[in-house]
């Protein structure tokens, strides 16, 4: 930190620190503003896309009309109304529903309203969907699906992350061994996404050799007792987690291994080796420490990636997570639910990016300087 | 000089067996795609896949023939017995004629057919003719199948005849009619020999044509089997190849080229241009790609070309802009750029001829590995039920299989064959891409 102040004299060092802090604050404020604008634009774009620029409104009006007409026809209480009366009834129902969904306002007004409420994280109420407990609040619907997604993707991604980093570190020491070569050879298998391996796993372990359930999160009916329940969930977890593992582990090990190899051929590492430091120390101090920033970055990005779940893997395994929630919401054209999912993801992403920016600025004097000078 | 670079690249590439294998797979797929497009023209493929009369002689959900033969099976193929080849007895009387059409066939397959249908065509008759059916077994039994009045085009589903099923002791007609009556206990066995379906036709017209076609649907069909609508899967598997390759290639070209060009423009002009591009990239990071594609699919149209457009548009400001930017920044200050400026090259010329070509070699591996991810993206959309409405694709076959519970019903071939093709495509491009990465990425070359 004292690189910019003259070394030795206390007052200048203090001034240098103050200047650094001011630059850091300025940089922070700029980044915050930029990220906020990014979130606003991103969320607004999603709102516009989710409504196809207002075209969905016409679609929904037609739908409301036909549903109201159908309801009036099917209800025996309205059987002996005259056509004129029935028409008026339908009109009234349609008007009520249009008002409930606020379709009478122009889309532009509504989109801005959606935006400001979304930004305040006031997620509002779903239009068509409801949670399994019957709540219409978007918050309840999302909260209900969150544990399932966190359980599946948390388990799988943490497993993939830590296994691949440690295996890669170990392999980078045994560079060129048979195991290393086979990981390199297996890396292209990651071209296929997890759901693809999921289909094969279901075929093998649920149908050819019926050992594990083909889908769902818990047996039906759910077993009594906490342990039996947990065991059933674990059995249901095995296939989707292995599918994700299969599709990502090799590429992940491969890229970390390459990354570590590049860093362990740096001059200062060679120097440490020449000094005869033990390999464990070299690994910890000379390889892991300078590469910590990218590792932390990818770890954090992996964590927020959990939020979006994975639509297709969840569909294939019939997993009640956020991905399939989003898919259902799109099918129902339930704008508040779609926006709710996206806005939370946007905030999480922005928060992570901000955290990383600050972390880099604190850790890396080059970034700090560049940020202050701009 | 650039030619030399490519040559050394090729020489190095040849040292990787995975690259050669990947190229062989890609070449094979390209040949297959070309053959398909030439052999089955686009309109024909689309029309056939929509479902038509063309498939009516195909069995439902039949496995590929070679799969059955490979495990030593002897499952029956489809047999069509037409009246044209049959010795027809004809007796004319006042105001009409009487035809006796024996539809005889030898049956000695290892299993029973999956279905029995009789198609009758009697065009131009003033009054509908009447036909009485009788089944003659090789051991001399005669089983009456009842009478029917025939329209111009009639289909008699013998397999669906519940009364006949009861008379045959609860065996479905396509099993009971061909079974050996001596072996009552256990599984019914095929009675080999010459079976005959005798049609006794009473036509009230002396000249109008009458022909019949008995179809004994097999349990195996063609090289890829059939689906629930009797369609040959081979058509979809074949046509899936050019569609997948075209989608993957176009999407990869569209996204990488535009992204690279934008990154280069940003690096060259700096200032607000660069800042705008950076901010747009960050906004794009927040937009969820797959949900947007699903939205476009549900709300607009699932046409594959629209999807391609959306993929490219969303890919323009992708995160790789940052990577290209980092690569281009040092090049911007290189002396040869300064030389170009000194001789008065225009901005566009510098961007297009000096900046972009410089990092193209680094880009090629990324480009090749991108292709399979787009191929799988198309399949993913199709599996979600958002496949192209017209074109047969691999993903749509998978989606059909999933919606018909193919795994549960044991039609494994229906899932495995499109999945294998997808895997092959993915592996081919990924293997080549990884090898290219090691050749073109100087930092990886020694590793």
């Amino acid at each position: 930190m004292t690189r910019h102040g003259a070394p030795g004299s206390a007052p200048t060092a203090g001034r240098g620190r103050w200047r650094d802090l001011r630059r850091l604050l300025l940089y922070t404020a700029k980044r915050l503003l930029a990220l906020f604008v990014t979130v606003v634009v991103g969320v607004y774009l999603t709102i516009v896309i989710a409504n196809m620029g207002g075209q969905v409104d016409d679609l929904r009006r037609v739908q409301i009309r036909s549903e109201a007409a159908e309801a009036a026809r099917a209800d025996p209480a309205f059987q002996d109304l005259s056509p004129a009366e029935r028409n008026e009834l339908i009109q009234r129902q349609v008007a009520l529903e249009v008002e409930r969904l606020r379709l009478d306002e122009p889309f532009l007004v509504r989109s801005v309203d959606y935006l400001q409420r979304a930004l305040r994280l006031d997620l509002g109420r779903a239009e068509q969907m409801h949670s399994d407990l019957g709540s219409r609040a978007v918050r309840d619907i999302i909260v209900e699906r969150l544990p399932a997604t966190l359980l599946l993707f948390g388990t799988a991604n943490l497993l993939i992350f830590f296994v691949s980093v440690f295996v890669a570190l170990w392999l980078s020491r045994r560079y060129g061994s048979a195991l290393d070569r086979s990981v390199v050879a297996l890396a292209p298998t990651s071209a296929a996404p997890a759901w693809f391996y999921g289909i094969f796993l279901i075929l093998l372990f649920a149908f050819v050799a019926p050992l594990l359930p083909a889908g769902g999160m818990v047996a039906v009916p759910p077993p009594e007792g906490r342990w039996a329940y947990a065991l059933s969930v674990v059995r249901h977890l095995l296939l989707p987690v292995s599918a994700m593992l299969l599709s990502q582990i090799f590429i992940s090990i491969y890229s970390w291994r390459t990354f570590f190899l590049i860093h362990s051929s740096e001059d200062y590492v060679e120097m440490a080796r020449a000094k005869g430091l033990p390999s464990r120390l070299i690994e910890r101090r000379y390889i892991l420490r300078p590469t910590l920033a990218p590792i932390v970055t990818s770890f954090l990005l992996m964590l927020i990636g959990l939020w979006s779940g994975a639509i297709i893997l969840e569909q294939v395994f019939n997993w009640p997570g956020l991905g399939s929630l989003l898919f259902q919401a799109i099918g129902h054209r339930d704008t508040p639910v779609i926006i709710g999912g996206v806005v939370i993801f946007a905030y999480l992403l922005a928060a992570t990016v901000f955290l990383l920016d600050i972390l880099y600025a604190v850790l890396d004097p080059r970034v700090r300087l560049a940020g202050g000078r701009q | 000089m650039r030619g030399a670079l490519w040559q050394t690249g090729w020489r190095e590439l040849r040292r990787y067996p995975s690259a050669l294998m990947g190229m062989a797979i890609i070449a094979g797929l390209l040949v297959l795609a070309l053959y398909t497009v030439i052999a089955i023209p686009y309109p024909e493929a689309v029309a056939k896949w929509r479902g038509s009369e063309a498939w009516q002689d195909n069995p439902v959900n039949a496995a590929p023939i070679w799969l059955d033969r490979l495990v030593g099976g002897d499952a029956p193929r489809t047999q069509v017995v037409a009246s044209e080849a049959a010795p027809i007895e004809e007796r004319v009387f006042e105001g009409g004629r009487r035809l006796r059409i024996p539809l005889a066939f030898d049956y000695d397959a290892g299993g029973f057919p999956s279905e029995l249908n009789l198609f009758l065509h009697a065009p131009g008759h003033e009054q509908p003719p009447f036909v009485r059916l009788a089944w003659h077994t090789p051991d001399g039994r005669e089983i009456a199948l009842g009478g029917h009045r025939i329209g111009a085009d009639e289909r008699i589903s013998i397999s669906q005849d519940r009364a006949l099923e009861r008379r045959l002791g609860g065996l479905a007609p396509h099993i009971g009619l061909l079974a050996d009556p001596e072996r009552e206990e256990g599984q019914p066995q095929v009675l080999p020999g010459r079976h005959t379906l005798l049609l006794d036709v009473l036509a009230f017209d002396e000249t109008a044509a009458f022909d019949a076609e008995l179809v004994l649907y097999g349990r195996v069909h063609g090289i890829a089997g059939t689906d629930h609508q009797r369609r040959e899967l081979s058509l979809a598997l074949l046509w899936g190849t050019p569609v997948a390759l075209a989608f993957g290639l176009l999407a990869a070209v569209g996204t990488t080229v535009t992204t690279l060009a934008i990154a280069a423009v940003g690096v060259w002009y700096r200032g607000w241009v660069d800042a705008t591009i950076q901010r747009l990239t960050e906004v794009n990071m927040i937009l969820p790609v797959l949900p947007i594609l699903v939205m476009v699919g549900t709300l607009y149209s699932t046409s594959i070309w629209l999807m391609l457009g959306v993929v490219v548009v969303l890919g323009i400001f992708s995160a790789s802009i940052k990577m290209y930017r980092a690569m281009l920044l040092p090049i911007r200050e290189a002396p040869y750029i300064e030389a170009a400026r000194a001789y008065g090259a225009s901005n566009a010329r510098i961007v297009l001829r000096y900046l972009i070509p410089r990092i193209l070699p680094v880009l090629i591996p990324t480009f090749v590995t991108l292709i399979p991810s787009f191929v799988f993206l198309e399949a993913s959309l199709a599996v979600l039920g958002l496949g192209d409405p017209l074109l047969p694709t691999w993903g749509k076959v998978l989606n059909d299989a999933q919606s018909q519970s193919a795994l549960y019903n044991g039609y494994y071939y229906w899932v495995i064959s499109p999945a294998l093709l997808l895997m092959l495509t993915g592996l081919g491009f990924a293997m080549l891409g990884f090898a290219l990465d090691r050749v073109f990425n100087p930092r990886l070359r020694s590793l």
Side-chain angles (χ1 to χ4, degrees):
Chain A
M1 283 224 162
T2 50
R3 195 186 291 173
H4 317 299
S9 59
T12 31
R15 208 182 307 143
R17 197 161 297 152
W18 165 236
R19 194 181 52 197
D20 272 359
L21 194 68
R22 210 179 46 205
R23 279 183 178 162
L24 200 63
L25 277 178
L26 197 71
Y27 174 70
T28 310
K30 272 187 177 168
R31 283 307 292 164
L32 261 182
L33 190 72
L35 282 171
F36 183 71
V37 172
T38 308
V39 169
V40 171
V41 176
V43 171
Y44 191 74
L45 273 179
T46 316
I47 291 172
V48 172
I49 295 170
N51 288 286
M52 281 287 141
Q55 284 191 355
V56 176
D57 291 4
D58 304 332
L59 245 153
R60 284 202 295 192
R61 257 186 229 112
V62 173
Q63 202 178 346
I64 290 167
R65 176 161 302 277
S66 70
E67 269 168 19
E70 192 54 46
R73 199 174 309 120
D75 195 334
F78 303 140
Q79 271 319 316
D80 36 279
L81 290 178
S82 74
E85 280 176 313
R86 186 178 299 175
N87 251 343
E88 197 190 322
L89 181 83
I90 293 173
Q91 290 293 351
R92 214 164 46 230
Q93 291 290 343
V94 170
L96 272 176
E97 184 72 6
V98 162
E99 206 183 328
R100 179 176 86 80
L101 299 178
R102 304 177 55 210
L103 290 178
D104 46 347
E105 294 170 25
F107 173 69
L108 201 67
V109 175
R110 241 178 33 248
S111 70
V112 173
D113 188 56
Y114 278 142
L115 178 67
Q116 57 101 352
R117 279 199 310 174
L119 291 177
R120 284 191 284 120
L121 277 181
D122 169 12
L123 300 180
R125 294 162 73 77
E127 287 171 1
Q128 315 287 334
M129 302 174 71
H130 48 76
S131 73
D132 290 345
L133 293 173
S135 165
R136 275 222 184 242
V138 173
R139 207 176 124 77
D140 292 345
I141 297 177
I142 289 178
V143 165
E144 195 178 70
R145 298 295 189 101
L146 193 56
T149 287
L150 286 186
L151 180 66
L152 171 55
F153 294 94
T155 314
N157 284 352
L158 287 178
L159 212 63
I160 290 167
F161 183 81
F162 287 110
V163 167
S164 53
V165 167
F166 284 109
V167 170
L169 205 56
W170 186 77
L171 274 186
S172 71
R173 259 186 287 146
R174 281 158 192 74
Y175 157 67
S177 66
L179 203 64
D180 182 51
R181 283 209 305 275
S182 55
V183 165
V184 173
L186 279 172
T189 57
S190 302
W195 63 264
F196 183 81
Y197 288 105
I199 290 180
F200 277 103
L201 289 179
I202 292 176
L203 170 65
L204 282 179
F205 293 104
F207 291 108
V208 174
L211 300 170
L212 291 166
M217 194 171 118
V218 71
V220 181
E224 300 283 330
R226 192 175 295 170
W227 288 111
Y229 191 90
L231 192 74
S232 169
V233 171
V234 167
R235 272 169 56 81
H236 283 78
L237 256 180
L238 274 176
L239 284 187
V241 167
S242 349
M244 289 183 70
L245 219 61
L246 264 179
S247 95
Q248 282 168 33
I249 194 89
F250 294 117
I251 185 81
S252 194
I253 293 179
Y254 172 80
S255 48
W256 280 122
R257 156 201 172 274
T258 314
F259 178 77
F260 286 136
L261 274 178
I262 288 174
H263 276 271
S264 52
S265 59
E266 297 279 356
D267 293 341
Y268 56 83
V269 182
E270 302 289 345
M271 178 67 195
R273 278 215 190 92
K275 278 200 292 188
L277 293 181
S279 67
R280 190 151 292 276
L281 195 72
I282 294 180
E283 214 164 74
R284 261 213 316 265
R285 256 196 220 154
Y286 289 79
I287 300 179
L288 269 185
R289 190 168 293 170
T291 53
L292 206 58
I295 293 179
V296 170
T297 308
S298 78
F299 181 73
L300 283 178
L301 285 178
M302 183 274 290
L303 277 189
I304 53 165
L306 296 184
W307 179 262
S308 52
I311 292 185
I312 305 174
L313 190 74
E314 288 181 12
Q315 287 293 112
V316 166
F317 281 99
N318 201 8
W319 192 265
L322 288 171
S324 45
L325 173 75
L326 202 56
F327 185 61
Q328 286 162 359
I330 294 168
H332 283 118
R333 298 161 180 41
D334 202 328
T335 319
V337 180
I338 302 172
I339 296 172
V342 172
V343 78
I344 293 177
F345 179 70
Y347 269 131
L348 282 176
L349 191 71
T352 312
V353 171
F354 179 68
L355 200 71
L356 286 174
D357 275 343
I358 300 301
L359 217 67
Y360 284 161
V362 172
L363 292 180
D364 188 344
R366 284 173 303 180
V367 175
R368 193 170 58 212
L369 256 186
R373 209 183 285 142
Q374 259 174 19
Chain B
M1 186 214 142
R2 192 162 302 137
L5 181 74
W6 289 112
Q7 252 175 15
T8 41
W10 165 239
R11 215 173 304 130
E12 287 215 23
L13 201 61
R14 271 190 313 190
R15 297 206 334 252
Y16 294 96
S18 66
L20 294 181
M21 212 154 107
M23 278 191 278
I25 292 175
I26 295 169
L29 287 170
L30 280 176
V31 169
L32 190 65
L34 261 177
Y35 163 77
T36 307
V37 176
I38 294 168
I40 316 168
Y42 176 82
E44 189 189 324
V46 169
K48 272 181 122 178
W49 193 248
R50 249 186 206 161
S52 61
E53 296 257 309
W55 306 122
Q56 72 175 9
D57 287 352
N58 286 353
V60 173
N61 290 332
I65 293 176
W66 58 269
L67 194 66
D68 178 67
R69 302 298 183 259
L70 206 63
V71 294
D74 187 21
R77 295 184 195 217
T78 302
Q79 235 175 315
V80 179
V81 191
S83 61
E84 278 116 44
I88 302 175
E89 271 178 53
E90 188 167 350
R91 266 206 342 259
V92 183
F93 59 86
E94 186 84 14
R97 60 195 164 133
R98 188 167 181 181
L99 303 168
R100 278 171 62 86
I101 310 173
L103 297 175
F105 60 94
D106 291 310
Y107 197 85
D108 52 2
F112 292 97
S114 59
E115 203 183 346
L116 272 183
N117 272 347
L118 182 64
F119 295 95
L120 298 169
H121 308 285
H125 290 255
E126 290 226 337
Q127 259 192 33
F130 186 81
V131 60
R132 189 176 292 284
L133 308 174
W135 189 277
H136 293 266
T137 59
D139 56 353
R141 286 171 300 135
E142 179 181 332
I143 305 164
L145 302 184
H148 298 268
R149 202 166 280 285
I150 304 299
D153 274 300
E154 198 80 21
R155 163 187 173 154
I156 300 173
S157 303
I158 300 173
S159 298
Q160 305 290 325
D161 192 337
R162 295 280 162 247
L164 178 61
E165 186 175 332
R166 272 195 297 280
R167 274 195 290 143
L168 292 167
L171 290 175
H174 53 268
I175 296 173
L177 288 174
L178 292 154
D180 189 344
E182 302 296 314
R183 302 167 70 160
E184 281 298 324
E185 75 288 347
Q187 288 284 359
Q189 289 279 328
V190 172
L191 180 63
R194 197 164 181 80
H195 294 259
T196 311
L197 177 66
L198 189 66
L199 280 74
D200 193 355
V201 186
L202 206 57
F204 306 101
D205 191 312
E206 282 168 42
T207 50
F210 183 92
D211 52 330
E213 199 182 70
L214 173 68
V215 182
L216 295 101
Y217 295 98
R219 293 194 183 268
V220 291
H221 186 92
I223 55 165
T226 59
D227 69 1
H228 60 302
Q229 294 183 26
R230 305 183 189 275
R231 298 181 292 198
E232 279 177 18
L233 287 177
S234 55
L235 174 69
L237 296 179
L238 281 176
W239 251 95
T241 322
V243 173
L245 290 183
F247 188 87
L249 213 65
L250 287 176
V253 168
T255 49
T256 41
V257 169
T258 48
T259 308
L260 179 60
I262 286 174
V265 165
V267 165
W268 181 244
Y269 287 98
R270 294 205 268 213
W272 65 269
V273 179
D274 195 27
T276 316
I277 290 170
Q278 297 267 34
R279 293 295 93 76
L280 278 175
T281 312
E282 278 160 19
V283 168
N284 200 49
M285 248 168 85
I286 286 177
L287 295 180
V289 176
L290 194 59
I292 286 183
L293 281 175
V294 174
M295 278 182 221
V296 172
T298 12
L299 300 176
Y300 255 131
S301 121
T302 52
S303 155
I304 197 167
W305 308 118
L306 178 71
M307 291 294 174
L308 181 66
V310 177
V311 166
V312 171
V313 167
L314 286 176
I316 287 178
F317 288 101
S318 68
S320 33
I321 278 196
K322 303 230 165 197
M323 190 177 84
Y324 300 150
R325 202 172 160 269
M327 286 187 215
L328 285 167
L329 272 175
I331 298 175
R332 191 184 190 282
E333 311 298 337
Y336 79 99
I337 300 265
E338 216 167 308
R341 282 172 89 169
Y343 84 68
S346 68
N347 285 330
R349 188 181 168 83
I350 292 181
V351 168
L352 289 177
R353 300 296 304 271
Y354 289 83
L355 275 179
I356 294 179
R358 191 62 195 275
I359 64 165
L360 268 185
V362 189
L363 206 74
I364 289 169
T366 329
F367 171 74
V368 174
T369 28
L370 258 183
I371 295 175
S373 66
F374 287 119
V375 171
F376 274 103
L377 181 69
E378 191 274 323
S380 308
L381 287 171
V383 167
L384 285 177
L386 300 170
D388 189 84
L390 298 175
L391 276 172
T393 66
W394 296 335
K396 270 173 80 180
V397 174
L398 277 177
N399 184 37
D400 282 343
Q402 213 188 8
S403 61
Q404 298 292 320
S405 313
L407 292 183
Y408 180 76
N409 290 318
Y411 309 136
Y412 298 151
Y413 64 92
W414 198 356
V415 176
I416 289 178
S417 46
L420 269 185
L421 280 169
L422 275 169
M423 190 75 230
L424 210 61
T425 314
L427 269 183
F429 283 102
M431 274 153 77
L432 179 62
F434 275 75
L436 281 172
D437 203 18
R438 266 173 280 165
V439 172
F440 281 117
N441 250 341
R443 293 207 84 172
L444 295 180
R445 197 169 289 169
S446 55
L447 303 180

